[in-house]
Amino acid sequence: MTYRQKLYIRTFGCQMNVNDSEYIVGQLEQLGYSTTEDILKSNLILLNTCCVRAKVEQKIYSLIGKIKKIKESKPDVLLGICGCMAQKEKENIFERAPHVDFIFNPSQVNNLEKIINTVKYSDTKYISCGDALKFSLKHLPIKRESKISAWIQIMRGCNNYCSYCVVPYTRGPEQSRGVSEILSEVNSLAQNKYKEIFLLGQNVNSYGNDLSQSVTFSKLLELLNDINGIERIRFTTSHPKDFSFDLIKTIKNCHKVCNHIHLPIQSGSSKILNMMNRKYDIDYYMNIIKEIRNNIENIAITTDVMVGFPGETEEDFMDTLDAFKKIEFDEAYTFIYSNRENAIASLLPEKVPLGVKKERLWKLIDLQKEISTKINKKLEGKILEVLVDKKSKKHIENQFSGRTGNNKTVVFTGKQNLLGQLVKVKIIKSSPWTLYGELIK
Ligand code: SAH
Ligand code: SF4
Ligand code: F3S
């Protein structure tokens, strides 16, 4: 009987972290591990962490605390903490949780063989939070979660230093992957019947700025658009300050590039945007939205927004509500400002009380819900093309879900297995977040 090592991995945070976990699992499978969903059956526990807001960090510390019991009853189990919180907290994690065995940061994600072989045979704690420079994913084994849609990191890190944000400190400076490396990866995904690629970067619009080859994000999209077999190209995130007219033209002209732009606004107040170091004001943002809508038909625009940034007055918040009413986003991810020690905004004195922040959050959520309801209602009766990517979560037999080009989730029933297919669905009913429809033959 061969004895297989079992890995339990839990991932927090953004798509970049989800994709990093796919690389972690890919490497560990080559080292003889298989994954388990049952933490009690594992002999290696990895938490791939996030620290963008304090709440997620608290949740992770509390989970680490609970794992102590498992370590007490099974001392051979190894516990590792990786991801952004590992980089932010470093040795503090050992101090707060001495039962943690090892820590590595996001730039060590391509180094699992060395890390695991070191910690397995060592009885001291191990930490690897080295430099993010010269990071490479080339030829790295990967175990993708989906066989239909594949995440592709086109760049890592961030140079923008928004005053509230920890990401530049956890993921280091921007580093773009070479064009030929990305193209060869996507070509091989197409050969393996992948239908969609989802390009990832903290700020995809600055793709190529750090490469010696002269290449822009638009150019990369054009090259990817020519790859046979791939039907859809998505990307996130775009920073408004770098959103070029050239990119608008490319999205319009490349038919595989989906009609969806995620463009974080963060605030509707120019005063707050300035304090956030976002490098645009609200007029500039509104103008991009206008250009996008004038040029690309049927485009969905989604956003990230924050309430309660230090110094945000009632008037500033009204500016955010006002911008939301004028723009009418398809969807918005709404956050309460969270103080992050590493980020400059933590030094700003005028903190907004939690009660006020919560009140503003709910006002904004309610407004957005009204807007999303209205936008989705208009789709009732329409026939939309859907890439089927999931069996319904509710486990109702033959219920599938997929997404339209402009990123609406559509739930419908089909007779045979439709996973991975592009189908036409007539929308019968809508909610602010989901559309329900009937499959058209
Ligand atoms: N690189 C992306 C997203 C980074 S994090 C971008 O530039 O848009 C995702 C979102 O989390 C951000 O857009 C922001 O709205 C939110 N966020 C980041 N730091 C935060 C903080 N300290 N408190 C609350 N929300 C935060
Ligand atoms: Fe954070 Fe701003 Fe960089 Fe986004 S662009 S990751 S919000 S610093
Ligand atoms: Fe979180 Fe790091 Fe992503 S802080 S949002 S996991 S880049």
Side-chain angles (χ1 to χ4, degrees):
M1 195 181 82
T2 50
Y3 173 67
R4 279 198 58 96
Q5 303 268 46
K6 293 274 184 208
L7 161 72
Y8 172 88
I9 182 164
R10 175 129 178 235
T11 309
F12 299 81
C14 60
Q15 291 104 326
M16 186 80 77
N17 251 20
V18 175
N19 186 231
D20 276 353
S21 286
E22 294 180 328
Y23 282 109
I24 292 174
V25 175
Q27 291 166 82
L28 287 175
E29 285 198 345
Q30 287 210 339
L31 295 173
Y33 284 87
S34 60
T35 51
T36 174
E37 311 239 313
D38 185 350
I39 193 168
L40 297 173
K41 291 206 175 108
S42 64
N43 26 34
L44 173 59
I45 301 172
L46 272 180
L47 306 183
N48 191 6
T49 61
C50 170
C51 57
V52 76
R53 283 168 290 275
K55 230 182 184 165
V56 60
E57 207 177 303
Q58 283 151 13
K59 190 170 154 189
I60 295 164
Y61 266 123
S62 127
L63 177 61
I64 297 175
K66 286 187 192 138
I67 295 172
K68 192 170 176 196
K69 278 236 160 61
I70 301 177
K71 288 270 304 180
E72 277 164 2
S73 62
K74 285 168 77 184
D76 290 345
V77 172
L78 284 172
L79 171 59
I81 311 297
C82 58
C84 288
M85 186 184 128
Q87 174 64 17
K88 174 178 167 285
E89 291 290 282
K90 300 194 188 76
E91 282 88 358
N92 288 345
I93 298 177
F94 289 142
E95 262 161 50
R96 282 182 66 170
H99 59 290
V100 170
D101 298 293
F102 64 106
I103 295 171
F104 60 95
N105 74 357
S107 64
Q108 297 300 312
V109 125
N110 54 3
N111 208 4
L112 261 287
E113 182 169 355
K114 182 177 157 226
I115 294 171
I116 293 300
N117 285 334
T118 311
V119 294
K120 249 182 165 171
Y121 304 110
S122 132
D123 43 15
T124 53
K125 303 215 175 283
Y126 176 87
I127 180 160
S128 180
C129 287
D131 203 332
L133 284 169
K134 298 225 167 69
F135 182 87
S136 169
L137 295 169
K138 207 169 181 173
H139 306 310
L140 200 64
I142 180 162
K143 172 82 183 288
R144 295 189 180 276
E145 281 178 9
S146 163
K147 295 196 173 349
I148 300 159
S149 178
W151 311 108
I152 312 277
Q153 300 187 28
I154 60 166
M155 59 188 303
R156 289 171 68 96
C158 181
N159 293 349
N160 290 320
Y161 291 92
C162 300
S163 63
Y164 49 81
C165 185
V166 290
V167 173
Y169 307 95
T170 64
R171 288 198 170 254
E174 283 175 8
Q175 287 177 81
S176 306
R177 288 173 76 197
V179 178
S180 58
E181 190 181 319
I182 297 172
L183 292 179
S184 84
E185 184 173 355
V186 176
N187 269 309
S188 95
L189 287 165
Q191 276 159 21
N192 286 306
K193 307 260 180 304
Y194 276 85
K195 291 286 172 348
E196 180 179 273
I197 51 169
F198 205 130
L199 310 177
L200 298 178
Q202 296 305 335
N203 179 13
V204 289
N205 313 118
S206 49
Y207 174 77
N209 287 355
D210 58 315
L211 294 175
S212 52
Q213 188 184 5
S214 152
V215 59
T216 60
F217 181 54
S218 298
K219 182 71 199 161
L220 178 69
L221 286 177
E222 281 164 20
L223 294 167
L224 291 169
N225 195 61
D226 288 339
I227 295 181
N228 283 333
I230 298 298
E231 311 261 8
R232 283 182 173 183
I233 303 170
R234 297 183 183 280
F235 58 89
T236 200
T237 296
S238 303
H239 194 302
K241 80 175 166 59
D242 303 310
F243 206 89
S244 65
F245 191 72
D246 200 34
L247 181 55
I248 297 180
K249 264 192 341 213
T250 306
I251 298 171
K252 181 186 167 142
N253 296 338
C254 295
H255 73 283
K256 292 179 183 173
V257 177
C258 288
N259 278 0
H260 170 220
I261 297 169
H262 184 65
L263 197 65
I265 183 171
Q266 308 300 5
S267 167
S269 151
S270 292
K271 176 193 108 191
I272 296 294
L273 287 169
N274 183 34
M275 288 165 78
M276 286 176 164
N277 192 28
R278 289 289 287 177
K279 302 186 181 85
Y280 54 88
D281 62 16
I282 192 61
D283 294 336
Y284 184 89
Y285 186 90
M286 294 288 221
N287 197 44
I288 304 173
I289 299 286
K290 200 174 95 201
E291 290 289 347
I292 292 172
R293 290 201 169 133
N294 283 346
N295 285 284
I296 316 171
E297 245 178 88
N298 195 23
I299 185 91
I301 303 175
T302 57
T303 202
D304 290 349
V305 66
M306 206 181 294
V307 296
F309 185 84
E312 185 188 70
T313 60
E314 204 51 35
E315 206 182 344
D316 295 320
F317 174 62
M318 288 301 161
D319 287 346
T320 300
L321 287 178
D322 193 46
F324 268 57
K325 284 181 198 152
K326 284 189 182 135
I327 296 169
E328 302 201 320
F329 293 108
D330 287 77
E331 211 176 327
Y333 298 90
T334 43
F335 305 107
I336 284 184
Y337 166 78
S338 169
N339 207 52
R340 308 283 58 211
E341 313 87 84
N342 313 49
I344 295 290
S346 67
L347 302 173
L348 295 172
E350 290 175 74
K351 302 279 186 278
V352 178
L354 184 62
V356 176
K357 288 194 212 173
K358 283 189 174 163
E359 211 176 286
R360 289 181 187 167
L361 181 77
W362 281 107
K363 275 193 190 145
L364 197 54
I365 290 176
D366 286 345
L367 170 64
Q368 184 54 42
K369 193 172 160 192
E370 246 174 67
I371 295 166
S372 299
T373 305
K374 190 175 96 182
I375 292 176
N376 284 353
K377 193 106 198 143
K378 281 194 196 144
L379 295 171
E380 288 178 8
K382 294 242 156 65
I383 294 172
L384 305 177
E385 191 174 59
V386 175
L387 177 62
V388 188
D389 57 10
K390 281 192 194 74
K391 282 228 169 207
S392 160
K393 279 189 211 127
K394 288 179 189 132
H395 300 294
I396 299 173
E397 194 148 9
N398 290 329
Q399 198 175 62
F400 293 95
S401 90
R403 272 166 310 138
T404 64
N406 61 10
N407 209 37
K408 308 279 176 196
T409 300
V410 180
V411 174
F412 65 97
T413 314
K415 288 221 166 58
Q416 80 267 39
N417 186 1
L418 296 167
L419 284 175
Q421 292 185 34
L422 276 168
V423 298
K424 294 234 153 56
V425 178
K426 182 171 180 184
I427 307 306
I428 306 295
K429 204 174 84 176
S430 69
S431 81
W433 304 281
T434 312
L435 304 172
Y436 302 87
E438 275 171 5
L439 187 67
I440 303 277
K441 283 279 157 311

